[in-house]
Amino acid sequence: MIQTSELLTIQKFIYLLDDFHYGQFTNYLEETKSRLPLKLAQLIRKKLPGFDTHELLCKKVYGKYDKSERLNFNQLGSYTFKLSNDLAINYPAYLTPNYSTLQRLVNKGEMENANFLARLLLDIAEKIEDYGTQIFILKFLVQQAILMKENATGVKLTHQLNGVYENEKICHEILSALRLHL
């Protein structure tokens, strides 16, 4: 299985979208006339559940793979992911359909696929500051580390989980202050 570190953020993002949210994202790209980001999203989605290499994706988008196209492609990937802010604003829980997918994978004993999905979810949730998803995934990973007797990993993940809880608490306090005092 491909390593999560080998994937572009935009590939992870597109992989995690269910059909409805993918449709909303591509509709937004069409409405804003974002042709290259739309082309990139469609190329990634078409290959799923597999992934093209960066080089192959770049060739599919720009027709060749050299230094300038590679730079343009990297910028396109980053820009396309930034365009997902509309999805995050209108559907802030768009990652949650993956929760049940993760649970199904675990129940079927497909731990490699479950771990892959969990790592993707955690990475994207961190980037978009989706604390609820981070908490869900970190709880899963902590429990798994405990069951596998990977104590060092479990401690590290528990500290990370505590940090996410603290961030969520701070955000809640800010929103509470705004609602109660304004």
Side-chain angles (χ1 to χ4, degrees):
M1 176 170 276
I2 194 164
Q3 297 297 313
T4 57
S5 60
E6 298 172 19
L7 297 175
L8 297 169
T9 298
I10 190 62
Q11 288 175 298
K12 296 173 187 179
F13 169 73
I14 297 294
Y15 179 84
L16 294 172
L17 294 178
D18 64 3
D19 292 339
F20 173 78
H21 293 106
Y22 174 75
Q24 294 300 307
F25 179 62
T26 55
N27 286 343
Y28 175 75
L29 295 178
E30 288 172 355
E31 288 169 8
T32 59
K33 299 187 183 348
S34 303
R35 287 186 260 309
L36 280 178
L38 178 61
K39 182 178 181 180
L40 178 59
Q42 290 170 334
L43 287 170
I44 293 168
R45 185 71 170 207
K46 187 177 182 180
K47 180 75 175 180
L48 293 179
F51 297 97
D52 286 323
T53 63
H54 303 164
E55 182 178 345
L56 189 55
L57 259 178
C58 182
K59 284 180 182 176
K60 287 181 177 181
V61 173
Y62 291 110
K64 58 183 175 176
Y65 183 75
D66 62 23
K67 186 177 180 180
S68 71
E69 269 72 31
R70 201 170 53 231
L71 179 62
N72 290 340
F73 179 71
N74 289 338
Q75 290 174 339
L76 174 64
S78 177
Y79 176 67
T80 304
F81 181 66
K82 287 180 183 173
L83 291 173
S84 73
N85 70 340
D86 181 72
L87 191 63
I89 290 168
N90 293 304
Y91 302 96
Y94 70 85
L95 292 176
T96 59
N98 291 289
Y99 294 10
S100 58
T101 303
L102 181 64
Q103 291 168 341
R104 277 194 304 274
L105 289 171
V106 170
N107 289 334
K108 292 189 325 191
E110 298 178 21
M111 293 311 295
E112 187 176 343
N113 290 334
N115 289 330
F116 179 74
L117 178 60
R119 287 190 301 273
L120 293 183
L121 274 167
L122 185 58
D123 186 46
I124 296 300
E126 287 172 344
K127 288 182 180 3
I128 65 170
E129 297 180 349
D130 179 350
Y131 299 124
T133 297
Q134 288 180 57
I135 289 167
F136 178 83
I137 296 303
L138 285 168
K139 284 180 175 180
F140 166 78
L141 293 173
V142 166
Q143 182 65 24
Q144 189 173 16
I146 290 168
L147 291 173
M148 297 296 164
K149 297 184 185 340
E150 296 173 354
N151 296 333
T153 301
V155 168
K156 178 184 164 205
L157 291 169
T158 299
H159 286 300
Q160 187 176 351
L161 178 59
N162 290 338
V164 174
Y165 273 130
E166 187 61 32
N167 288 339
E168 185 180 45
K169 181 181 176 223
I170 291 168
C171 285
H172 174 71
E173 288 171 353
I174 291 169
L175 290 173
S176 291
L178 286 171
R179 291 178 184 134
L180 297 174
H181 300 295
L182 298 177

